[in-house]
Amino acid sequence: MSSSTPTIKLALLGAGNVGSQVARILLEDADSLQARIGARLELIGIAVRDLTAPRHYQADPQLYTTDAEALIDRADVVLELTGGIEPARSRILQALQAGKSVVSGNKALLAQHGSELAAAAAASGAQLSYEAAVGGAIPILRPLRDSLAGDRVSRVLGIVNGTTNYILDQMHSTGAQFDQALAEAQRLGYAEADPTADIEGHDAAAKAAILASLAFHSSFSLDQVRTEGITSISAEDVQAAEAEGYVIKLLAVCERQGDQVSLRVNPTLLPQSHPLASVRGAFNAVFVEAENAGELMFYGPGAGGAPTASAVLGDLVAIARRMVLGGPGLPDLPTEQLSLAGADQLASSYAVGMLAKDAPGTLSQIAQLFAEAGISIETIRQVKAPVAGGLALIRLVTHRVKDQTLRQTVQQLASLETVQEVTSLIQVEG
Ligand code: HSE
C-alpha cells in the first residue's frame, strides 16, 4: 500500500448472516476493493450483543465489541446490519449527525423513519444508502435514484418477498394447500419459525414504501401501504387461476397518476405472459414502467447472507469513492409533493369466486347484480358442478372497476338467495 493511500475506517454493527458475509468480503477482498476505490477500507470493529455467540464467519476476535456507540465514534463510515427499530435508529442518527455516512439494510427502519434519517444525512452532508433493504442482491434502489433520475417512473411492480413467492410457487407446481407449502418453506429455511411478517405482507409493504419513495422522489411510510397477505389463498384459487391463464403472486404495486400515488401489497392474478410470472421459487424481481425507458425488469436473489452483502458492498464502494473525491453525499430529500390516492379513487380488475346454487337463473341473478352496479364482467364460468348439496363453484373476472363499488357489490352478492358464499376475491393485474 502506498503511504499516500487514504484509509476509511469502518464500523460494522451486527454479525448475523449478512454482517458476517460483509466482514468476510471486506477482509478477503481488501486489495481489490482498495484498487477500485483509491482508499483502504479498514474494518475497525464489529458491534455485537453477545461476544460469545457462534458466528457464520469468525473475524479476528479482537474486532468484536459490545460498545456500539464508542465504535461509531472512531469510524468514518458505519454499516448497520442489525435490523429492528431501536437501537438501530439512534445509532444511525448518531453517525449521520456526526457527518459519518451510513450503509443500512434495515427495511423496517427505513420504511418507518426514512425521512428522519434522510434529513439527518442531508443536514450533515453524510450519505445514507440502503440498497440491501429491498431485493437482496438486486440493484434496484440506485437505478431508481440515479439511472432513472432523468425519467418519470409511473409504476413499480415488485415480487419483493422470497418466502411468499416460494410458497405460492409451491402451491402452483405441486397443488399444495397454503399450510403445506408454508411448512415446506419452513423446513427449507426460507420461512422463519414465526412467518407472520412475510405471509401477512408486512415485509413486502416496508419494501413498497422504500421503492415508492425513491421511484417518485417523495416520502412514503409503511403505514401508507394497503396490505394483504397470502394466508387466504387456497389450492382451489391457484387451480382456477391457472385455468384462466394466470399465476398468483404477492405483488407490491406502487402506482403514480398525476400527483397521486397508490401503494399496495396483495395477492394478485398475473397473466402467465407477464415477465414477473416467470419469477419462481424464492427469487425476487422488480418491474419498472417509466415514461421514456419503457418497461424494465430487475431480477435476482432477494435474500441470503452473501447476496445481501454484495448490495452492502456496492453502497460502501460508492460512498468511499465519493469520500476520496471529496464533497458531501447526495441528499435524498423529497423533491415532489405527492399525495396518497383516497380509497374512493382506487380501481382494478378483480376475480371473484363463489359457491352458488347449480340451478336455472343463478348466472342471470349474478350478472344482473353486477350490471346494476355498472360493473362489466370480462369472463364468467362454472368451475365444478355440483360441489355438494346442489352447489356449483362460479368464477368471474371483472373489467376495471372502482374498489369500493366492487366490494359493495360482493357484499350484496353474498346476500343473494342463490349465492351461498363468496369464496375468494383477488385483484387482477393487466
Ligand atoms: N423475509 C424476506 C423474504 C427476507 O422472504 O424475502 C429479505 O428481506
Side-chain angles (χ1 to χ4, degrees):
M1 182 171 68
S2 133
S3 58
S4 61
T5 303
T7 295
I8 296 173
K9 293 181 185 159
L10 307 176
L12 175 58
L13 312 185
N17 213 5
V18 180
S20 293
Q21 292 303 317
V22 168
R24 177 188 64 78
I25 298 168
L26 283 172
L27 298 169
E28 287 180 2
D29 293 350
D31 291 341
S32 51
L33 288 166
Q34 178 181 331
R36 275 174 242 155
I37 294 166
R40 187 83 181 166
L41 297 177
E42 185 192 352
L43 181 58
I44 59 164
I46 305 174
V48 293
R49 261 188 315 218
D50 176 1
L51 290 173
T52 62
R55 311 273 167 228
H56 299 271
Y57 171 81
Q58 183 62 49
D60 178 352
Q62 303 290 328
L63 286 174
Y64 295 92
T65 173
T66 53
D67 191 346
E69 282 79 9
L71 179 61
I72 293 168
D73 277 342
R74 292 194 290 124
D76 300 312
V77 175
V78 173
L79 311 175
E80 186 276 316
L81 298 169
T82 54
I85 304 299
E86 287 293 353
R89 172 180 159 273
S90 302
R91 289 178 179 161
I92 291 178
L93 284 172
Q94 177 195 343
L96 293 174
Q97 284 161 357
K100 298 165 197 260
S101 290
V102 173
V103 180
S104 173
N106 192 332
K107 62 211 157 197
L109 177 64
L110 288 153
Q112 288 176 59
H113 298 278
S115 53
E116 178 190 26
L117 301 179
S124 70
Q127 183 83 53
L128 172 65
S129 299
Y130 39 89
E131 185 64 73
V134 180
I138 305 172
I140 177 62
L141 300 190
R142 207 129 17 98
L144 286 174
R145 194 187 66 184
D146 298 338
S147 320
L148 290 165
D151 207 331
R152 190 179 174 88
V153 173
S154 53
R155 274 209 324 167
V156 180
L157 306 182
I159 294 173
V160 288
N161 183 269
T163 304
T164 47
N165 201 56
Y166 176 84
I167 291 171
L168 292 171
D169 190 31
Q170 276 289 109
M171 291 175 74
H172 273 282
S173 55
T174 68
Q177 286 289 0
F178 170 78
D179 287 345
Q180 295 169 299
L182 170 61
E184 180 66 1
Q186 285 173 316
R187 194 182 66 78
L188 293 173
Y190 291 130
E192 296 182 26
D194 177 0
T196 311
D198 293 320
I199 63 178
E200 297 293 356
H202 307 312
D203 175 80
K207 293 165 180 170
I210 296 170
L211 285 169
S213 298
L214 288 169
F216 305 137
H217 314 287
S218 197
S219 177
F220 297 102
S221 59
L222 175 62
D223 56 358
Q224 295 177 306
V225 184
R226 290 156 53 95
T227 306
E228 181 191 331
I230 63 165
T231 53
S232 66
I233 300 297
S234 66
E236 292 70 31
D237 290 329
V238 168
Q239 270 169 21
E242 284 180 4
E244 289 156 1
Y246 296 104
V247 290
I248 302 181
K249 295 287 188 192
L250 183 71
L251 284 193
V253 181
C254 315
E255 193 162 11
R256 175 177 182 169
Q257 275 176 348
D259 288 341
Q260 293 206 315
V261 168
S262 65
L263 306 177
R264 63 180 170 85
V265 166
N266 52 221
T268 307
L269 291 174
L270 197 63
Q272 284 162 356
S273 56
H274 192 285
L276 285 173
S278 61
V279 177
R280 307 287 307 270
F283 279 87
N284 282 196
V286 181
F287 189 80
V288 178
E289 297 171 14
E291 201 169 283
N292 298 303
E295 296 177 344
L296 308 165
M297 188 153 111
F298 302 79
Y299 169 86
T308 309
S310 164
V312 173
L313 265 291
D315 279 347
L316 173 59
V317 168
I319 284 171
R321 283 176 171 159
R322 186 168 289 276
M323 289 171 74
V324 169
L325 291 173
L330 284 174
D332 258 338
L333 297 174
T335 54
E336 306 234 4
Q337 295 295 319
L338 304 178
S339 58
L340 272 193
D344 58 336
Q345 286 160 305
L346 303 172
S348 177
S349 295
Y350 277 91
V352 187
M354 69 204 87
L355 282 173
K357 277 188 189 161
D358 193 10
T362 294
L363 282 186
S364 73
Q365 258 198 30
I366 294 167
Q368 191 183 345
L369 184 69
F370 276 73
E372 283 167 3
I375 302 172
S376 175
I377 295 172
E378 185 184 296
T379 59
I380 185 164
R381 70 192 182 98
Q382 187 159 313
V383 180
K384 272 187 208 160
V387 176
L391 294 174
L393 179 57
I394 293 172
R395 296 259 312 175
L396 64 82
V397 176
T398 71
H399 284 292
R400 201 167 167 85
V401 48
K402 285 217 162 144
D403 285 27
Q404 281 187 342
T405 310
L406 191 275
R407 288 182 193 280
Q408 280 162 8
T409 308
V410 166
Q411 271 182 4
Q412 291 167 7
L413 194 58
S415 62
L416 281 183
E417 180 255 330
T418 46
V419 174
Q420 193 195 56
E421 185 192 351
V422 176
T423 53
S424 76
L425 177 63
I426 306 181
Q427 215 153 336
V428 180
E429 172 58 36

